[in-house]
Amino acid sequence: MGILLVIIVTFFIGTCDGQLAFRFYAQTCPNAESIVLSVVQDAIARDPTMAAALLRLHFHDCFVEGCDGSILVDNGLTSEKRASPHQGVR
């Protein structure tokens, strides 16, 4: 399952406008990627539906205005988080 997750994430990173890059935190937080991988693997181990939920969250965030986490920000009535297509995203 870990290889599948890496392949999926790699595919989406290559198609995003959010300027994502592997090893972005290599200097400031060298363990960032391994920490995130560990947390995601643990979450999927506890709840197998989490893999699909994370993939859907990534899709909804990255294909609107780039991978910027804006789907998680509640900044008023016009926020991306409140947009009707995003309702139900875990």
Side-chain angles (χ1 to χ4, degrees):
M1 180 178 296
I3 295 296
L4 178 61
L5 183 61
V6 169
I7 291 170
I8 291 170
V9 170
T10 301
F11 169 75
F12 282 113
I13 287 174
T15 61
C16 294
D17 291 330
Q19 306 288 326
L20 297 179
F22 285 110
R23 309 292 302 148
F24 181 81
Y25 292 104
Q27 298 300 316
T28 57
C29 185
N31 296 323
E33 291 175 12
S34 62
I35 292 168
V36 171
L37 178 61
S38 174
V39 169
V40 170
Q41 286 175 333
D42 289 346
I44 293 170
R46 283 190 308 259
D47 178 4
T49 66
M50 187 58 66
L54 289 171
L55 181 60
R56 184 170 184 225
L57 176 66
H58 187 79
F59 172 82
H60 278 264
D61 183 46
C62 291
F63 289 97
V64 174
E65 291 189 30
C67 302
D68 57 3
S70 59
I71 192 171
L72 303 173
V73 177
D74 191 358
N75 59 350
L77 295 175
T78 60
S79 71
E80 191 175 332
K81 181 178 183 176
R82 294 177 185 264
S84 61
H86 303 316
Q87 300 310 302
V89 174
R90 289 181 21 196

